[in-house]
Structure formats: C-alpha cells, structure tokens
Amino acid sequence: MAASAAMERLRYTLVLLLLLHSTNSFYVPGVAPINFHRNDPVEIKAVKLTSSRTQLPYEYYSLPFCQPTKITYKAENLGEVLRGDRIVNTPFQVSMNVEKKCEVLCNFPNKPVTLTVEQSKLIAERIREDYYVHLIADNLPVATRLEFYSNREEEEKKKEKDVQFEHGYRLGFMDGNKFYLHNHLSFILYYHREDVEENQEPTYRVVRFEVIPQSIKLEDLKADEKSMCTLPEATGSAPQEIDPSKENQLLFTYSVHWEESDIKWASRWDTYLTMSDVQIHWFSIINSVVVVFFLSGILSMIIIRTLRKDIANYNKEDDIEDTMEESGWKLVHGDVFRPPQYPMILSSLLGSGIQLFCMILIVIFVAMLGMLSPSSRGALMTTACFLFMFMGVFGGFFAGRLYRTLKGHRWKKGAFCTATLYPGVVFGICFVLNCFIWGKHSSGAVPFPTMVALLCMWFGISLPLVYLGYYFGFRKQPYDNPVRTNQIPRQIPEQRWYMNKFVGILMAGILPFGAMFIELFFIFSAIWENQFYYLFGFLFLVFIILVVSCSQISIVMVYFQLCAEDYRWWWRTFLVSGGSAFYVLIYAIFYFVNKLDIVEFIPSLLYFGYTALMVLSFWLLTGTIGFYAAYMFVRKIYAAVKID
C-alpha cells in the first residue's frame, strides 16, 4: 500500500512538472486542429497593415490589392476590434500539398493592374512609413525569415547562420527617393503528416507559414492566357517601381511551396513566440527577482527590529514619564485614524484600484495557464474588458466599507463616484484619441456600434455591480481601529526636507520599478512594435514581486512619517505608493525617443495618450496595494502598544 501511494504521488508530481514545463507553449483549450487532405483548400486571409512608425493599422483593402469576387469579413470579438484587426478573405488559391510555381493573382495576365496617381501616391506613402502586411493561413500568421551571421569566429560563420522571423512582410522598400512594391509573394507552408491507419487517406496539418516577398518588374514577368507566369532569374530581374507622380502598371503574382516538418500541431506557435533572444529575458528577470528579494529582506529585518524595540519601550510601565517625553509614532495615536479630506474620492480611487488588481491578477494567472495565448486572437483584451466590468462588485465592496470607516454617509453618491471616476477618465481619453484615428480612416478606430456596446457594458454591468458591492460594503461593520480619535487635532511639527511628499514619491518608486522594468520593455515592444508577448509565467512572478515590494516600501514610508509625528498618512500613502508610475512615465518617454521612429503629430498623440492611461492605471494599482498594506500595518502596531 505504501509503495502504491508513493507511486501515485510520484505520478502526480511528474504530471505537475510537465504542466509547468509546457506553460509557454500550452495551447488554447477547446481549439481543435484542422486536418487537411491533399488538394483541400487552405484559405489565406488578410488581417491588417501595421507600422511601428505610425501606430495606425489599416485594412488590407485600403490599398489597391487584388480582390476576390466577394469580400467577406470574419466576425470579430471585442479584442480584435479594439486591436484594429479586420480579417478578410483574399483571392490567393492555395491547396494542401499542391505546388504552384507562379500564378497571376488578378486573373488578367494580358491586362496588368493599373494604379491611378492617387493609388500610387498612397502606396508610396505606406512604403515610406514602413508598413507591414499581415496574412494568416489556418490561424497562423505569416512570417518573413531573416538569416544573418552572429558574432562568431570566422570558421564557424561559414557553417551556421542565425535565423529569426519578423511578423508579416514588408509592403515594399525604398532605394534613394524611389519606391518599390513587393508584388510577388513566394509562400512556403510547412505541414505535419498525421499518423493514420493503413487504409486511410493521409491527413496533414499546417504548422508554419512563411513568405518571401519580391519586387519584379512587369516586363520581367512573362504571363500566359492561363494566368501562369514565369519568374526571371534573380540576377537579371529589375524591381517594380511605383512612381507616385503618374499611373503605374504591374502584375500581382504568387507561388506556393510545401515542405514537410517534424513540428507537431501543439508546438506550431513556438517558432513565432521565440523570435527574440529569450536568454536575455531569463537572466534579467532572475536578476530583478534576486535584487528585489534581497532589498525586501533587508527592509523587513530593519523595520521588524526597530518596531520590536519601539513597542518594548512604549510598553515599559516603569518609564511611562520618559516615554511620554520621547518623540515617536505612539504620540500621534489620538490622530492617526482621523478621517482624511475628500474621503469619498479616496475610497472611489481605491475601489477602482481593487477592481484593477482583481482583473490583472486573474488575467495573468489564466494567461499563464496558456488559455489566452496569441493563437486566440483578441482573447486577452476581451477577457480583460469583461473581467474589469464584473470585478466592479469587489471594487464597490471595498470602497463602500472604507467609506463608512472614514465616517462617510452618502453611500449612493460614493457608489456612483466609484463606478464613473476612473472609467470616465479612461473613456474620455479614448474617445478623444478615437476621433483622431477616425480622421485618419484607420482600422484602429473603434466603430460606433462597438463604442455603444462598451457604454452599455459600463452602465448595464459594471455600474449595477459597483452599486451592489458598495451597498453590502457600506452595510458591513467598518474596519475596527484599535485606538480612539481625539476631538482636537494635534499640531504637526515642522517636517524635514526628506519628508516632502515628492521626495517620498521618488524614493518609494525605485524598488517596485526595479522589479518590473525589464518586463516593461517586452510589454512595450509587444504593444508598440507589433510583437507577440507570451511569457506570462514570468509576468505572474514579476506581479507577485511588485505586490511584495509595493507593500514593504509603503510600510517603511508610513513608519517614517508617523515617527515624524505626521498623522496625515491616508492620501500620502496612496500617492507615494504609486511612485513607481512616475518612473514608468519617464521610461515611456525614453522608449519613445530611443526605440521608436515616430515623427508625426497624431501617432505621437496616440502614444502619449495611451501611455497616460497606462501610467494612471499603474498608479491606481500600486497605490491601492501600498495603501492597504500600510493600513494593516498601522492598525497592527497601534494594537500592540498600551494606550493610557
């Protein structure tokens, strides 16, 4: 029996280790693979055009590409709409395991596509802005292979190349002041042959989708009446120039090549998710974790030793007179729980912070389990939006209970403030930015029906849930403060320069920011440079470290403030604990200047508008974490001393 129990435990342990090991490549539950037989059609769809220089996505057919007889848009979820994805069918005819050497796309081999002057100008402008075209086949995004030599020894260079992939393919390229369009696409699709029984027809699954874009001049593409064409030799072909000052004639062509691969369907996203050097990520995260744990340990040791000494001194019955003459946090016990100014706004902001905290924690945890991987388009943003709405019940509960603790009486007004203050600011900024995106006719503009649906979710789901939570929180017993509050406020002595609020913000923000600034780089790259973010296991670890560091630095700062006999800690703790948001803002400016090549007004406005929302949300999140940690600490220490 003991042996069988030990084997059972070992089996469970192995299963758990396998699950943890496969967290990064775990596939979305419920998404079934598509099995293809030979000659089955493999549909190529277009997603959008993107550029890291303009941050404005556009629909595929905003440019004069060849169109099918009937254009059909895929039904999109909320996340896809907010991301600017507009998935649409294309005229590419691709069949499983069927090669195509060269085929004309628009079915007019004897009649080339003629671009008007306006269309030529538009294409030239998009090439100048460095736009990429994004296609998908069987939900796999197209990627361009980049081969280069790393800094190895000369002998090794001849043997091996490093391979990386970039998402999509470049629309074209510039040479001097001339524009060249990639009008020929060589698709390379990799398939995995599935194991079947002897008498059954073999089935295949698509596991990779690559493209080699080429620019080939019209005269060099020899096409016949059957829409077949002949590609010129690479050495003798000239690129297809687009002159923006006149009409241009060209042919859109494509070829298809199939290759068998050992990659299984469950691991087919690994190629896309390891497009950058992950080793840097690993070392940086481990370094941040070690530094933060080390600093947190030192802070904890100092604060615990100092507190024990303080409490022991305060509780000595023999030296009551000496103790009363000393300065310290015990002297403000009659004012430390005095309600602050604007208790309704403070409780509302903290309620929104709780709402954000619950939403982020659940999203990161679920994504860490692999359920919100990039293969499920828009799932992350859709889940985040709905979770924020439904977490309103927790935000309202905590806000209502704190508001009652702070001697508030108008709970209905407080609930309305909690439900509308932060979401109202977010909606207002997004609406203004959306107007500018509308003006650019970008697919990133949120359509009016979607905006109405978001408003209905806000007022139909979030608002009632906040009211419900606020009602029960306000009715619940307020937080029990261990000491009574004096009727007359104590005079606050003059504070030293280092106790200034802004100095506190700068000091308190360093440690939490140090815990997550490496992750910040990868998150910014995913948002602003159209990269995939997938290391949610690391992100969850960093989030836990962020919570710990915010809590500890908040406790240290409130301890110093109370030792200086300044009992106005409510608002100050909330502001100072969110100090790392200031460093996030500084980093965002640094990233804009050094990493992005944005020069126009509207893309810059979009960047700083959305960055302001990120900084505001991060400030609410970290401020809320620090506030509740400090509140529990203050209640704990005043409950531990004898008050006469």
Side-chain angles (χ1 to χ4, degrees):
M1 291 293 289
S4 62
M7 287 297 294
E8 194 70 21
R9 282 198 296 271
L10 180 62
R11 192 180 296 118
Y12 283 133
T13 306
L14 287 172
V15 170
L16 182 62
L17 287 172
L18 285 171
L19 282 173
L20 288 172
H21 178 72
S22 61
T23 295
N24 289 338
S25 61
F26 191 68
Y27 214 72
V28 185
V31 176
I34 299 176
N35 293 323
F36 295 93
H37 297 289
R38 183 177 170 81
N39 290 322
D40 281 355
V42 179
E43 197 171 3
I44 306 293
K45 294 182 179 181
V47 182
K48 58 183 173 181
L49 311 170
T50 63
S51 168
S52 58
R53 294 186 63 183
T54 67
Q55 303 300 329
L56 291 168
Y58 287 96
E59 289 188 33
Y60 180 71
Y61 291 122
S62 63
L63 292 180
F65 292 121
C66 294
Q67 297 183 3
T69 52
K70 183 182 179 183
I71 296 177
T72 307
Y73 284 91
K74 171 185 168 289
E76 289 145 345
N77 58 39
L78 179 62
E80 288 176 313
V81 174
L82 296 178
R83 278 162 43 98
D85 293 357
R86 301 292 183 269
I87 299 175
V88 65
N89 61 329
T90 61
F92 295 107
Q93 301 293 324
V94 177
S95 300
M96 172 55 72
N97 215 357
V98 175
E99 302 271 327
K100 282 189 178 182
K101 288 189 176 180
C102 182
E103 189 167 309
V104 178
L105 193 59
C106 291
N107 296 324
F108 297 119
N110 299 324
K111 185 182 178 184
V113 176
T114 302
L115 302 178
T116 63
V117 178
E118 288 77 14
Q119 290 173 333
S120 302
K121 282 182 181 177
L122 185 61
I123 288 179
E125 185 182 350
R126 296 287 182 264
I127 293 173
R128 184 192 291 113
E129 291 169 342
D130 201 19
Y131 266 85
Y132 281 73
V133 183
H134 296 274
L135 306 174
I136 54 173
D138 189 28
N139 201 35
L140 272 182
V142 74
T144 306
R145 180 189 290 259
L146 302 176
E147 294 182 345
F148 59 93
Y149 293 110
S150 61
N151 296 324
R152 295 195 181 96
E153 298 295 330
E154 291 295 326
E155 296 179 0
E156 293 185 6
K157 280 186 178 180
K158 298 175 184 176
K159 298 178 185 176
E160 188 179 350
K161 290 181 180 179
D162 280 346
V163 177
Q164 282 192 0
F165 295 87
E166 62 181 6
H167 305 293
Y169 70 88
R170 289 178 183 270
L171 178 63
F173 61 94
M174 290 180 65
D175 186 6
N177 292 323
K178 293 185 177 180
F179 303 93
Y180 299 97
L181 176 69
H182 285 140
N183 60 323
H184 177 80
L185 301 179
S186 298
F187 293 129
I188 305 171
L189 290 105
Y190 294 76
Y191 64 88
H192 180 76
R193 190 192 299 266
E194 295 300 308
D195 296 329
V196 293
E197 295 180 7
E198 291 184 7
N199 299 327
Q200 287 186 338
E201 187 181 352
T203 59
Y204 310 93
R205 292 176 180 175
V206 180
V207 293
R208 192 189 292 178
F209 183 25
E210 292 180 20
V211 66
I212 302 174
Q214 292 174 267
S215 182
I216 304 175
K217 200 173 182 180
L218 174 64
E219 289 76 12
D220 293 340
L221 281 169
K222 299 177 177 63
D224 58 21
E225 294 181 357
K226 296 180 180 178
S227 297
M228 305 301 291
C229 53
T230 306
L231 294 175
E233 295 182 4
T235 53
S237 64
Q240 175 63 55
E241 183 183 353
I242 301 295
D243 190 343
S245 61
K246 64 178 185 181
E247 291 186 348
N248 293 273
Q249 289 192 330
L250 72 155
L251 283 177
F252 287 103
T253 57
Y254 70 103
S255 59
V256 181
H257 174 61
W258 289 91
E259 285 190 23
E260 189 167 1
S261 173
D262 294 330
I263 299 171
K264 292 189 176 180
W265 185 86
S267 304
R268 65 179 190 161
W269 273 83
D270 290 1
T271 306
Y272 299 88
L273 300 181
T274 55
M275 291 188 178
S276 57
D277 193 355
V278 182
Q279 202 170 16
I280 297 172
H281 203 153
W282 280 73
F283 284 132
S284 302
I285 293 297
I286 292 169
N287 182 53
S288 296
V289 168
V290 169
V291 169
V292 168
F293 267 128
F294 179 70
L295 291 175
S296 299
I298 292 174
L299 285 173
S300 302
M301 195 167 61
I302 291 171
I303 200 80
I304 289 170
R305 287 187 63 184
T306 311
L307 264 177
R308 280 180 177 169
K309 186 179 176 183
D310 286 350
I311 292 170
N313 287 338
Y314 288 146
N315 287 342
K316 281 182 184 176
E317 296 183 3
D318 301 331
D319 302 328
I320 292 177
E321 293 180 4
D322 297 337
T323 307
M324 292 301 290
E325 292 175 4
E326 292 178 5
S327 61
W329 49 267
K330 184 181 177 183
L331 298 182
V332 294
H333 67 85
D335 298 278
V336 72
F337 294 110
R338 187 178 301 281
Q341 286 185 312
Y342 314 114
M344 184 184 294
I345 296 175
L346 178 63
S347 59
S348 298
L349 292 175
L350 288 166
S352 296
I354 291 289
Q355 210 170 336
L356 276 172
F357 177 81
C358 296
M359 180 265 285
I360 292 171
L361 181 66
I362 296 172
V363 165
I364 295 176
F365 183 75
V366 173
M368 183 184 70
L369 298 178
M371 297 181 190
L372 299 176
S373 77
S375 59
S376 182
R377 298 181 177 279
L380 188 72
M381 195 170 288
T382 305
T383 306
C385 288
F386 276 96
L387 269 176
F388 183 78
M389 301 293 176
F390 286 106
M391 291 302 110
V393 68
F394 296 105
F397 179 84
F398 279 89
R401 192 173 183 194
L402 182 67
Y403 183 57
R404 184 173 182 189
T405 305
L406 298 178
K407 305 293 190 293
H409 302 291
R410 297 175 293 176
W411 76 268
K412 292 180 182 176
K413 188 175 180 182
F416 183 77
C417 187
T418 305
T420 56
L421 186 59
Y422 169 69
V425 171
V426 172
F427 185 82
I429 293 175
C430 289
F431 181 78
V432 171
L433 294 177
N434 206 49
C435 291
F436 285 98
I437 304 174
W438 265 334
K440 283 285 188 177
H441 305 289
S442 167
S443 66
V446 179
F448 186 73
T450 306
M451 198 169 288
V452 172
L454 285 170
L455 280 172
C456 291
M457 286 170 60
W458 179 13
F459 289 106
I461 300 174
S462 182
L463 187 73
L465 286 176
V466 169
Y467 263 91
L468 182 68
Y470 211 97
Y471 174 75
F472 285 106
F474 193 78
R475 287 190 61 187
K476 194 172 175 62
Q477 189 73 17
Y479 294 112
D480 183 28
N481 296 327
V483 291
R484 293 193 303 271
T485 302
N486 295 336
Q487 290 185 350
I488 301 173
R490 179 188 176 88
Q491 188 174 358
I492 299 170
E494 188 176 347
Q495 300 294 304
R496 299 287 182 91
W497 65 270
Y498 53 80
M499 294 304 296
N500 186 278
K501 192 182 300 178
F502 298 104
V503 176
I505 288 173
L506 293 177
M507 289 171 59
I510 294 173
L511 185 61
F513 180 75
M516 45 81 70
F517 83 96
I518 296 295
E519 280 305 304
L520 204 61
F521 169 76
F522 289 98
I523 292 169
F524 269 62
S525 299
I527 294 173
W528 302 113
E529 297 186 45
N530 297 304
Q531 302 293 325
F532 287 125
Y533 186 86
Y534 65 99
L535 286 175
F536 289 103
F538 279 117
L539 186 62
F540 186 75
L541 177 64
V542 169
F543 183 71
I544 298 300
I545 298 297
L546 178 69
V547 171
V548 172
S549 56
C550 277
S551 302
Q552 292 191 331
I553 204 73
S554 174
I555 288 170
V556 171
M557 297 303 287
V558 79
Y559 174 74
F560 286 150
Q561 184 181 349
L562 294 177
C563 284
E565 299 178 31
D566 185 357
Y567 53 82
R568 298 170 301 183
W569 62 273
W570 300 89
W571 272 105
R572 184 188 172 98
T573 301
F574 181 60
L575 294 171
V576 167
S577 301
S580 49
F582 173 75
Y583 290 97
V584 172
L585 178 61
I586 298 298
Y587 180 80
I589 296 170
F590 169 81
Y591 190 88
F592 179 82
V593 172
N594 287 278
K595 297 291 183 182
L596 297 179
D597 191 20
I598 297 176
V599 290
E600 295 182 15
F601 169 71
I602 290 181
S604 303
L605 182 70
L606 292 178
Y607 178 86
F608 285 106
Y610 289 129
T611 299
L613 288 180
M614 287 173 58
V615 169
L616 173 65
S617 303
F618 190 73
W619 171 67
L620 277 179
L621 175 69
T622 51
T624 302
I625 294 167
F627 174 86
Y628 276 99
Y631 191 24
M632 286 189 285
F633 170 75
V634 171
R635 289 171 60 198
K636 198 80 174 174
I637 62 172
Y638 281 100
V641 295
K642 297 175 184 176
I643 305 296
D644 298 324

